[in-house]
Amino acid sequence: MANSKIEWTDETLQLTTGCTKASAGCANCYAERMHKRLQGMGHADYQQEFSEVRLHPSNLVKIAKLPAGKRVFVNSMSDLFHEHVPFSFIFIVFKEMAKRPDVTFQILTKRAERMSEFFERCKKCGDEFLEGRTDIPKNIWLGVTVEDQQRADERIPHHLSVPAAVRFVSIEPMLGPVNLPTCTGRSDCKLNGIDGHSDKPLGGLNWVICGGETGPGARPMHPDWVRTLRDQCTEAAVPFFFKGWGEWAPGSQVPHLSTAYMSKNKWRDYGPEGGEYNTGGFWCNVGKKAAGRTLDGRTWEEFPV
């Protein structure tokens, strides 16, 4: 359990460690870098290779000790719904979190299909799930990570089938434009072949997080990708949280640094990576801190109620 520098949470809690790459967004995984650093420091929970997923049931007792009123990101260094984490362990995790309604638990996964499968099985369990419940307590927020339109189309429909009071999507690192799903509420509505419908904005998403990539090998994020996403959220009255530009900021974001960084070859024209948004302009690799978190002159730090 540790205080977190992640802007949208207060604490992190590691109940499993290790992961394997699921898609392009995993190429420069921050958790893998951190794992290697903690391994070198001799931390007992990180002595295996990052690709080896391990359970840490002894850390479950930390749930009872969490301060009331905190937001807690569960498994920032792993994926709770990884295929190597048995459903029996996930089941125990949810039972323990349900005992702390005064704490908000935030869970992110790239394995939305497996998350959906878990809750489908829980429905069939009846009274074995959360001592009689088949829905998910309101203090447990479930999120899915996507990086581009392909992964959004693959994962979000599975996510929307999960009976959570708060569903969120984290688009980080954002590697391309993303249009979030809409649904008319008609009884014959299907999202990507999955039955179900919702007359809620963005198909039932309650929160959207967006951010650029950080660390070695970071890839840039076009400002218009972010603007389009923000506008979708604003129109649908869905809270939007902009985590930051990552290592690469649009040149217009840091005009006082642009010339200096261009002269050092730390810049990149939008070019083909901008796709249909290649309207001229360039990115500067100024680092996360200098790139900042403002979008069109303001910070966006909205949370679901």
Side-chain angles (χ1 to χ4, degrees):
M1 190 164 57
N3 293 328
S4 178
K5 294 182 180 180
I6 300 172
E7 291 83 354
W8 46 263
T9 197
D10 300 315
E11 309 267 355
T12 57
L13 176 63
Q14 313 307 333
L15 301 177
T16 71
T17 54
C19 199
T20 54
K21 299 186 188 303
S23 56
C26 302
N28 301 311
C29 179
Y30 81 92
E32 184 173 13
R33 295 196 306 272
M34 179 65 72
H35 185 106
K36 290 179 179 178
R37 185 162 67 179
L38 292 170
Q39 187 180 59
M41 295 168 61
H43 196 296
D45 287 349
Y46 299 91
Q47 290 311 299
Q48 79 284 3
E49 292 303 310
F50 183 71
S51 58
E52 182 182 343
V53 177
R54 285 192 177 181
L55 312 184
H56 300 285
S58 61
N59 287 345
L60 286 166
V61 299
K62 296 180 180 180
I63 292 177
K65 301 176 183 179
L66 288 166
K70 294 291 187 179
R71 290 186 293 262
V72 179
F73 181 11
V74 179
N75 280 14
S76 63
M77 296 289 290
S78 186
D79 189 328
L80 185 63
F81 291 96
H82 192 281
E83 50 270 22
H84 292 162
V85 180
F87 281 163
S88 58
F89 182 75
I90 301 173
F91 186 91
I92 294 170
V93 171
F94 273 83
K95 290 192 73 171
E96 293 301 311
M97 292 190 297
K99 295 175 183 177
R100 290 299 310 273
D102 57 338
V103 174
T104 297
F105 295 95
Q106 301 161 307
I107 299 173
L108 266 176
T109 183
K110 286 186 172 69
R111 294 156 173 87
E113 187 170 4
R114 192 163 190 264
M115 178 172 65
S116 178
E117 180 188 352
F118 171 76
F119 288 107
E120 281 299 317
R121 291 196 185 188
C122 288
K123 289 179 184 178
K124 297 176 182 178
C125 292
D127 60 2
E128 294 182 20
F129 178 56
L130 297 181
E131 300 179 356
R133 306 179 60 121
T134 54
D135 62 330
I136 302 169
K138 293 181 179 180
N139 67 310
I140 301 175
W141 298 2
L142 294 179
V144 63
T145 300
V146 306
E147 62 265 37
D148 53 27
Q149 192 64 55
Q150 177 185 347
R151 301 307 176 183
D153 291 343
E154 291 173 357
R155 296 170 184 165
I156 292 177
H158 293 290
H159 183 35
L160 294 177
S161 72
V162 173
V166 175
R167 301 186 193 93
F168 66 103
V169 59
S170 175
I171 306 173
E172 184 189 8
M174 193 179 203
L175 302 181
V178 173
N179 289 311
L180 295 171
T182 57
C183 186
T184 62
R186 299 176 309 189
S187 60
D188 62 343
C189 180
K190 290 187 177 182
L191 287 170
N192 201 24
I194 296 177
D195 291 320
H197 67 280
S198 170
D199 56 3
K200 296 179 181 180
L202 301 187
L205 293 174
N206 307 102
W207 190 28
V208 175
I209 301 168
C210 171
E213 193 167 40
T214 60
R219 293 157 287 185
M221 174 176 65
H222 198 291
D224 287 346
W225 300 345
V226 186
R227 291 188 180 104
T228 300
L229 185 67
R230 175 205 57 195
D231 293 346
Q232 293 174 61
C233 293
T234 300
E235 183 177 353
V238 170
F240 176 71
F241 194 106
F242 182 51
K243 194 165 175 281
W245 293 103
E247 301 292 332
W248 294 84
S252 58
Q253 180 76 12
V254 283
H256 59 294
L257 295 175
S258 299
T259 302
Y261 276 84
M262 287 182 71
S263 66
K264 294 178 182 178
N265 203 32
K266 284 192 171 184
W267 67 282
R268 185 181 303 177
D269 188 87
Y270 285 167
E273 290 183 87
E276 62 181 293
Y277 294 89
N278 181 24
T279 55
F282 55 90
W283 292 288
C284 292
N285 188 331
V286 298
K288 177 182 177 180
K289 184 176 180 180
R293 301 180 54 219
T294 60
L295 171 64
D296 294 335
R298 61 160 286 190
T299 56
W300 297 79
E301 294 184 326
E302 299 173 345
F303 286 88
V305 178

